[in-house]
């Protein structure tokens, strides 16, 4: 999950998404959390809890912030990154779109693909892909995202997942290019469509697929138009999601953008 109001800058098989919802919307405290979740304070300044989420056929233990009313920036890293106190905790919680994307990744064909997760937050989709043996790289703008991803990989017995701090303002020369780029709930500010499309232009392979789980934030049309100029064709499937900040339940969609080659 990107911080709100932050100023950001081989061989693949491309598949259309056929998302088939399984049961009720995926995220509520009753549905996704075990009764025995562990509340803890591991770092001065904020509290976390470790919860168990059932994704696909597996359980994943993830460490998240205890709530969205926290802020800790003792060394000024968040301020330097453009993360406001109000948006600081948003990276560290389980969002409905993130859980829905992870569910898709639990069964999506990924063999032979080099995959990038944008705005990974706590990294649930990346964890799912790593357990499946996929080549996954995660990136986020938040200064704590890498540490949470490392902890969560360890909680699930996984090797550290390749991570980059990657603002969207421009290309990251060390990041490389990818066959598939995924993300959840990324288009929630007016400038995100332009920034995200520009970033994808720098880091997608000539033949590539982009998958975005969106709860209906309102900026998908602008983003789709920008990707169309890059040669992508869009399709969409309903994606039930639980209620989120400012969004009712069951309004989500999974958008797939496919490009066979550069225009």
């Amino acid at each position: 999950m990107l911080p709100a109001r932050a100023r950001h800058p081989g061989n693949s098989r491309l598949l259309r998404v056929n998302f088939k919802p399984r049961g009720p919307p995926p995220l509520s405290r009753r549905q996704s959390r075990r009764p025995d979740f562990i509340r803890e304070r591991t770092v001065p300044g904020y509290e976390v809890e470790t919860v168990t989420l059932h994704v696909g056929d597996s359980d994943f233990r993830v460490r998240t912030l205890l709530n969205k009313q926290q802020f800790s920036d003792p060394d000024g890293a968040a301020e330097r990154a453009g993360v406001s106190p109000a948006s600081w905790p948003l990276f560290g919680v389980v969002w409905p779109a993130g859980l829905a994307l992870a569910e898709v990744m639990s069964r999506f064909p990924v063999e032979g693909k080099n995959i990038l997760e944008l705005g990974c937050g706590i990294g649930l989709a990346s964890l799912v892909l790593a357990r499946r043996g996929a080549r996954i790289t995660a990136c986020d703008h938040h200064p704590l995202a890498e540490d949470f991803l490392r902890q969560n990989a360890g909680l699930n017995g996984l090797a550290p997942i390749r991570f980059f701090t990657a603002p969207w303002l421009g290309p990251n020369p060390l990041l490389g290019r990818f066959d598939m780029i995924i993300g959840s709930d990324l288009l929630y500010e007016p400038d995100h469509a332009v920034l995200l499309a520009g970033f994808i232009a720098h880091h997608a392979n000539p033949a590539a697929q982009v998958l975005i789980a969106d709860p209906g934030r309102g900026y998908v049309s602008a983003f789709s138009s920008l990707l169309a100029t890059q040669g992508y064709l869009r399709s969409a499937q309903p994606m039930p999601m639980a209620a989120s900040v400012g969004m009712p339940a069951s309004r989500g969609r999974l958008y797939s953008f496919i490009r066979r080659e550069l225009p």
Side-chain angles (χ1 to χ4, degrees):
M1 173 75 56
L2 283 164
R5 309 242 179 238
R7 307 295 300 176
H8 314 310
N11 176 29
S12 62
R13 292 183 296 157
L14 303 180
L15 300 175
R16 292 195 178 276
V17 176
N18 184 16
F19 178 75
K20 296 182 179 179
R22 294 182 177 178
L27 183 62
S28 71
R29 192 170 187 91
R30 176 181 62 82
Q31 292 170 316
S32 66
R33 298 181 190 272
R34 302 283 187 189
D36 57 344
F37 70 88
I38 302 171
R39 181 176 300 183
E40 52 196 308
R41 181 187 292 273
T42 57
V43 178
Y46 58 89
E47 292 182 314
V48 301
E49 63 182 1
T50 300
V51 301
T52 299
L53 304 176
H54 189 75
V55 181
D57 297 324
S58 300
D59 285 341
F60 290 84
R61 298 181 66 215
V62 293
R63 184 162 292 159
T64 70
L65 290 177
L66 182 61
N67 56 59
K68 298 191 290 291
Q69 287 76 48
Q70 302 188 61
F71 175 70
S72 178
D73 190 28
D75 60 359
E79 182 179 7
R80 290 191 297 274
V83 182
S84 71
S87 64
W88 183 90
L90 301 184
F91 86 98
V93 296
V94 180
W95 293 90
L99 187 53
L101 178 66
E103 183 68 34
V104 171
M105 290 299 102
S106 73
R107 58 185 183 274
F108 197 86
V110 296
E111 184 178 357
K113 296 177 181 177
N114 194 20
I115 305 169
L116 173 67
E117 183 182 9
L118 298 176
C120 67
I122 62 167
L124 182 58
S126 290
L127 295 172
V128 171
L129 288 166
R131 180 171 286 180
R132 293 183 62 198
R135 288 185 294 162
I136 176 66
T137 298
C139 67
D140 202 294
H141 188 58
H142 198 285
L144 288 182
E146 182 175 14
D147 185 54
F148 271 69
L149 180 65
R150 177 186 56 79
Q151 292 183 50
N152 285 331
L155 285 172
N156 292 280
L158 299 170
I161 295 172
R162 185 174 181 250
F163 177 89
F164 282 87
T165 299
W168 292 355
L169 284 174
N172 185 324
L174 299 178
L175 185 58
R177 291 184 178 268
F178 297 85
D179 307 309
M180 188 163 77
I181 297 176
I182 65 172
S184 60
D185 204 354
L186 300 179
L187 297 164
Y188 55 86
E189 294 288 346
D191 58 350
H192 283 180
V194 172
L195 293 171
L196 179 58
F199 191 82
I200 288 172
H202 290 295
H203 294 292
N205 276 327
Q209 182 166 19
V210 178
L211 292 175
I212 303 293
D214 185 81
R217 295 291 186 185
Y219 302 108
V220 172
S221 293
F223 176 70
S224 299
S225 296
L226 291 167
L227 256 62
T229 66
Q230 297 180 26
Y232 290 90
L233 297 178
R234 190 189 91 170
S235 62
Q237 295 287 335
M239 183 182 233
M241 298 178 192
S244 183
V245 178
M247 306 302 303
S250 301
R251 283 194 55 192
R253 295 181 76 81
L254 180 67
Y255 293 92
S256 173
F257 303 86
I258 293 178
R259 181 175 68 189
R260 303 294 178 181
E261 58 185 12
L262 286 172

